[in-house]
Amino acid sequence: MATATVTIPARFNGPPASGNGGYTCGAVARLLGGTSTVRLHRPPPLDRPLTVRPDGEGVVLCEGDTIVAGGRRTRLRLDIPAPPTWAEAEAAAAAPAATSFHDRHPFPTCFTCGPARAAGDGLRLFPGPVAGRDVWALPWTVPDGFADARGVLPVEVVWAVLDCPSSLPVMGQSPIVLGTLTASRIAEMRPGERLRICSWPIARDGRKRTSGVAVFDAADDLVAAAEAVWIELRS
């Protein structure tokens, strides 16, 4: 029997030489099905097959004997704030705190939030702070070009959507990278849908930052949500 493998294509990078954290976590979540928590143990290599191995009640992705990522099924417990309106999300995404970040982005070619990625090549998700609230947001019309054969965003891309927008509320002066993502997809995302993505800070503990992120549809119904743990890189 052939050994199962997962490969992160180079298109789905985060930092230039490693996989986008959300996309990689989503690849593990696809293996598990349902709500999952996935931890990144090291930068995911690109364009190299990673071996899938069972690990207790979950699975791990390995490069040789080195664990790259591991996950298991779980429940998501998250206090989700009320969604901003479309107008509030538009204003947030146009705020200086959102647009000025383009010039100091630590990973400008990131699949999810890299300003150097062209429309249709990357997701280009750039949230900003909502006026009067401790929430960041952006409006997003799901673009063509990322859907699977069923006409919906695949799990990996959904998790990529949940990744980087959760970083801005807890980002300081030093770059941060995703450590763990616990996510639940409630409904499918389809090209042309008008969605709002909002994120908020939860906790800080030294170099560890925890945040939440949620995606809402035009009727204010929850589409997907996640809790993210970010790690500040050492100087």
Side-chain angles (χ1 to χ4, degrees):
M1 182 179 296
T3 301
T5 63
V6 167
T7 300
I8 309 301
R11 177 188 184 186
F12 302 108
N13 67 285
S18 61
N20 175 272
Y23 186 94
T24 304
C25 290
V28 177
R30 175 184 289 279
L31 299 170
L32 296 166
T35 302
S36 308
T37 185
V38 182
R39 179 186 173 194
L40 298 171
H41 292 257
R42 55 159 294 182
L46 297 169
D47 284 340
R48 298 206 296 272
L50 303 174
T51 303
V52 179
R53 296 177 182 168
D55 181 53
E57 297 181 353
V59 297
V60 292
L61 300 184
C62 299
E63 186 176 35
D65 293 328
T66 302
I67 295 176
V68 174
R72 57 180 173 79
R73 291 285 299 273
T74 190
R75 295 177 62 187
L76 179 64
R77 297 175 175 85
L78 194 63
D79 292 327
I80 299 175
T85 65
W86 184 269
E88 287 175 325
E90 281 187 318
T99 57
S100 65
F101 183 62
H102 294 192
D103 296 329
R104 56 185 179 88
H105 199 298
F107 309 120
T109 61
C110 173
F111 169 68
T112 301
C113 66
R117 299 292 288 262
D121 179 45
L123 296 176
R124 295 179 58 82
L125 302 181
F126 311 129
V130 176
R133 299 181 60 188
D134 197 12
V135 170
W136 289 57
L138 75 151
W140 188 52
T141 300
V142 181
D144 294 325
F146 299 107
D148 61 17
R150 298 185 299 119
V152 302
L153 294 193
V155 174
E156 295 90 337
V157 176
V158 171
W159 281 56
V161 169
L162 295 168
D163 175 10
C164 302
S166 70
S167 70
L168 271 298
V170 293
M171 184 175 292
Q173 295 301 310
S174 299
I176 56 178
V177 293
L178 185 65
T180 303
L181 192 61
T182 303
S184 180
R185 181 180 61 175
I186 293 89
E188 306 283 8
M189 298 183 190
R190 301 178 182 275
E193 281 189 302
R194 285 162 56 94
L195 305 174
R196 283 153 295 156
I197 303 171
C198 70
S199 55
W200 60 95
I202 295 175
R204 294 190 179 215
D205 182 11
R207 293 170 52 235
K208 184 171 76 172
R209 320 285 174 80
T210 304
S211 61
V213 58
V215 182
F216 297 91
D217 66 13
D220 287 349
D221 290 329
L222 187 64
V223 175
E227 180 182 273
V229 177
W230 294 85
I231 306 299
E232 179 182 324
L233 297 178
R234 298 185 187 277
S235 299

